[in-house]
Amino acid sequence: MGPDPAIVLVRPQMGQNIGSAARAMLNFGLERMRIVAPRDGWPNPDAVAMASGAGRVLDASTIHDSVADAVGDCDFVFATTARSREMTKPVVSPERAMAMSREMQRDGRKVAILFGPERTGLENDDVAVANAIITVPVNPEFASLNLAQCVLLTAYEFRRQTADVEHEVLSMPTTETASVIEVEKLAEHYEARLDEQGFFFPETKAEVMKVNLRNMWSRMPLTRQDVQMFHGMLRQLLRKIDNK
């Protein structure tokens, strides 16, 4: 198994953005940062302040004079860019790029991802070093991404390849899911009281209406607390009618 991808910041201009990129990396478990020719030198107190808890990423970062030096030990390099390039290279989405990175990591290969300076992005000479280009499907009328945003998006996609993501979770911290019989009793309660009030009309459609109502109850992810509340709501609404 190879190391996680190296995040290479090429000629970053602001310490704040370096610190924000470090936070984005650590949010998703990446810690290998390499910095090429930072404009304001290194170390940078603004980067440390902005890292806010991700200082270990900055502490372990390495400084390089050139892109070639920063990725010299790597087997495969991605370059992130929103601009069209007159180069014959594969162009992939962040999702596909990180799937490729994960596959190469399993094979013990080292991967690096280049991110350009805030104002201009990567130069053609930088991109020429890369094996493939990552392009984010952004709004073509406003394609500029903040450096840290781009790092975060890429790190998130890598995390998705390596972690089990629960795409939907029903959180019920204080109660349990209602049982089938509890939902059935709720359906019977509503059906009986609605029938008394003449809801199922005309008679020729009554059975279909009852089936539809029961289907509605069964589709709902009801808890025991929900069932109790629905019983109470119906009793309260019909109390005045029953007392007449």
Side-chain angles (χ1 to χ4, degrees):
M1 178 73 75
D4 288 342
I7 301 299
V8 183
L9 308 184
V10 180
R11 299 181 297 279
Q13 298 171 316
M14 298 178 63
Q16 293 93 329
N17 286 335
I18 299 173
S20 295
R23 288 187 64 183
M25 289 171 60
L26 196 56
N27 281 151
F28 298 102
L30 298 181
E31 299 190 34
R32 300 176 65 232
M33 174 183 280
R34 300 177 182 184
I35 308 172
V36 178
R39 184 191 65 181
D40 296 336
W42 196 260
N44 188 311
D46 289 335
V48 175
M50 201 67 184
S52 184
R56 72 189 199 211
V57 175
L58 300 181
D59 293 340
S61 65
T62 56
I63 305 300
H64 304 266
D65 293 328
S66 67
V67 171
D69 178 58
V71 301
D73 65 330
C74 295
D75 301 297
F76 198 95
V77 179
F78 290 99
T80 59
T81 176
R83 289 189 288 135
S84 176
R85 307 282 181 167
E86 297 300 324
M87 297 183 187
T88 304
K89 293 180 185 291
V91 179
V92 295
S93 68
E95 182 177 14
R96 175 58 184 147
M98 293 305 96
M100 293 168 62
S101 296
R102 182 58 173 161
E103 292 167 5
M104 287 184 276
Q105 184 186 37
R106 291 194 192 101
D107 294 336
R109 303 175 70 189
K110 296 180 180 179
V111 176
I113 309 165
L114 304 179
F115 297 86
E118 297 89 325
R119 188 174 62 84
T120 61
L122 293 170
E123 300 294 337
N124 284 343
D125 287 347
D126 305 321
V127 179
V129 176
N131 303 101
I133 292 172
I134 299 175
T135 296
V136 180
V138 293
N139 176 5
E141 296 180 1
F142 190 68
S144 176
L145 279 176
N146 175 274
L147 174 59
Q149 290 175 329
C150 195
V151 171
L152 185 141
L153 189 154
T154 307
Y156 164 74
E157 290 294 351
F158 184 77
R159 182 72 174 179
R160 286 209 309 140
Q161 303 295 329
T162 58
D164 293 328
V165 179
E166 294 182 329
H167 292 285
E168 183 175 348
V169 179
L170 179 62
S171 178
M172 297 184 297
T174 60
T175 187
E176 299 176 0
T177 303
S179 66
V180 173
I181 189 63
E182 287 171 328
V183 176
E184 179 68 18
K185 291 297 183 182
L186 177 64
E188 290 176 355
H189 185 192
Y190 269 77
E191 185 176 306
R193 299 312 304 265
L194 289 172
D195 204 7
E196 291 173 5
Q197 301 303 318
F199 176 77
F200 301 109
F201 180 85
E203 188 174 343
T204 55
K205 295 184 178 180
E207 288 305 312
V208 173
M209 294 173 70
K210 291 177 181 179
V211 170
N212 288 341
L213 185 61
R214 285 176 179 261
N215 281 335
M216 182 194 74
W217 292 120
S218 64
R219 286 197 308 269
M220 296 173 65
L222 295 169
T223 66
R224 287 183 170 178
Q225 188 176 33
D226 295 332
V227 169
Q228 293 170 1
M229 183 175 67
F230 274 116
H231 279 302
M233 288 165 57
L234 184 59
R235 294 190 187 99
Q236 185 65 29
L237 287 171
L238 298 179
R239 180 171 295 170
K240 289 185 178 180
I241 296 176
D242 292 340
N243 291 336
K244 285 183 179 180

